[in-house]
Amino acid sequence: EGRVSELTLRGPEVEGRLREPLPLGPEQRPGDQFRTRVPSIGDEALLPLLEKHGVQVHVQPPRDAGGWFTLLAWIPWLLLMAFFFWSFRRTYRNLAGGGLGRGGELQKFLEPFAKTAKVPKVTFADVAGQENAKREVQELVDFLRDPERYRKLGADVPRGVLLMGAPGTGKTLLARALAGEAGVPFFSITGSQFIEVFVGVGASRVRSLFQAAKKEAPAIVFIDELDAVGRKRGAGLGGGHDEREQTLNQILAEMDGFEGHEAVIVLAATNRPDVLDPALLRPGRFDRHVTLDLPDRNDRAAILRVH
């Protein structure tokens, strides 16, 4: 009735200013500003009917469930952002330096050797039969026990020894027994482990393996299933960029890099010497070949006595 001078509508909320102060609110304090809410009722005749019958109507804001609802709505987005952040940090750490640094994930993948290199407890007494093979490698045991004596005499001990024989003849056992007999660390890996998952991992593993062995010298490096990585080059379609050939090239380079004071002997085992690359068999690499024969009757009896 002309008492309101200004009115502001914000949805169901109403703010206004009176021309003259009037008693407002439950305490009836005089004031010229007011704030109230308009009930949102779909039936336009309901409110006048309530007023006609003297029903007191209180208009209150709805219960605030927006905080929890908003939080629940944001949870999927927060999880998605956290996943992308974690993926970015992991990729950056592995590929931009962290993975190749000390303690990085890729570094742990490339260097599984140093932590597992131990002196085997197996000796020649645990290898039944194969007397000829044990005699052929006895010189290596003497060299690893006292490399300085050989160095003073100017003697050259083969850097690479190839153990050949049918499956089950005990090539791996003989290699472990050689290290146990000499009391030196035994670094072991299979040829198939050089080529895994990433391009370039084979060459990196070769470098890591030989670096760890040189630090622990005198030591033995044993490569099982050499034919898995040392097949003749040029037979496939990959050419010089084939991952297997890159790994083989790194093995050849590492064996050429041995110096006189490094008492490291590389043993390799294979049952397919006919498929090996000729560069592996030339002098200065795997130039000594030890053949393990199938056990005869006496050897089988000795095997049963051991077990």
Side-chain angles (χ1 to χ4, degrees):
E1 299 178 0
R3 296 180 180 181
V4 179
S5 64
E6 185 180 350
L7 195 66
T8 303
L9 300 177
R10 292 188 179 92
E13 295 185 357
V14 179
E15 297 180 1
R17 183 184 296 275
L18 301 175
R19 297 181 186 277
E20 297 178 0
L22 294 175
L24 300 175
E27 300 179 359
Q28 295 296 305
R29 291 183 180 180
D32 60 350
Q33 294 183 354
F34 66 92
R35 177 183 297 174
T36 184
R37 296 179 66 88
V38 178
S40 55
I41 301 176
D43 189 356
E44 298 180 358
L46 178 60
L47 190 59
L49 182 61
L50 294 175
E51 293 177 351
K52 179 180 179 180
H53 289 79
V55 178
Q56 191 174 10
V57 179
H58 299 279
V59 181
Q60 296 181 356
R63 291 185 176 88
D64 187 14
W68 288 103
F69 181 78
T70 304
L71 179 61
L72 292 176
W74 272 95
I75 285 179
W77 294 101
L78 293 175
L79 293 177
L80 186 62
M81 293 172 62
F83 172 75
F84 279 113
F85 180 73
W86 174 81
S87 300
F88 174 78
R89 287 198 60 184
R90 184 181 179 87
T91 303
Y92 178 80
R93 183 172 65 250
N94 288 345
L95 299 181
L100 293 175
R102 184 176 181 180
E105 296 295 330
L106 190 55
Q107 185 72 5
K108 295 177 183 177
F109 177 75
L110 294 178
E111 294 186 351
F113 318 106
K115 296 181 180 179
T116 59
K118 300 179 181 179
V119 178
K121 298 181 180 180
V122 182
T123 62
F124 284 159
D126 301 306
V127 182
Q130 304 297 348
E131 299 301 327
N132 293 332
K134 286 189 283 188
R135 279 195 296 269
E136 290 189 40
V137 298
Q138 184 62 45
E139 178 188 2
L140 304 180
V141 175
D142 297 336
F143 169 74
L144 292 172
R145 286 177 177 174
D146 189 8
E148 188 62 29
R149 179 166 64 93
Y150 280 76
R151 194 175 298 116
K152 289 180 180 180
L153 294 175
D156 291 331
V157 176
R159 293 301 186 186
V161 178
L162 184 63
L163 305 179
M164 303 180 301
T169 51
K171 299 183 291 294
T172 302
L173 181 62
L174 180 63
R176 292 178 59 84
L178 197 157
E181 196 77 20
V184 297
F186 183 73
F187 294 82
S188 175
I189 193 172
T190 63
S192 59
Q193 282 181 290
F194 280 126
I195 306 174
E196 288 183 357
V197 187
F198 302 111
V199 175
V201 163
S204 298
R205 281 192 158 186
V206 170
R207 287 191 294 269
S208 301
L209 176 62
F210 278 85
Q211 287 174 3
K214 290 176 183 178
K215 290 179 181 179
E216 299 292 333
I220 286 179
V221 175
F222 177 62
I223 304 176
D224 200 2
E225 302 172 4
L226 181 64
D227 52 278
V229 70
R231 289 177 176 269
K232 295 178 181 179
R233 290 170 290 183
L237 300 177
H241 299 285
D242 182 70
E243 173 69 5
R244 181 182 57 80
E245 294 189 7
Q246 295 297 326
T247 305
L248 174 59
N249 292 336
Q250 188 63 41
I251 293 176
L252 299 177
E254 290 292 339
M255 295 191 70
D256 285 341
F258 279 133
E259 298 180 5
H261 64 278
E262 294 171 341
V264 178
I265 294 178
V266 184
L267 300 180
T270 181
N271 53 11
R272 294 290 307 279
D274 55 306
V275 302
L276 294 179
D277 192 278
L280 280 171
L281 306 178
R282 75 163 179 81
R285 290 170 181 163
F286 293 103
D287 51 358
R288 174 172 291 191
H289 302 164
V290 177
T291 302
L292 281 75
D293 301 320
L294 290 172
D296 56 17
R297 182 175 181 178
N298 294 330
D299 293 339
R300 293 181 186 275
I303 293 173
L304 291 176
R305 285 193 295 270
V306 168
H307 293 283

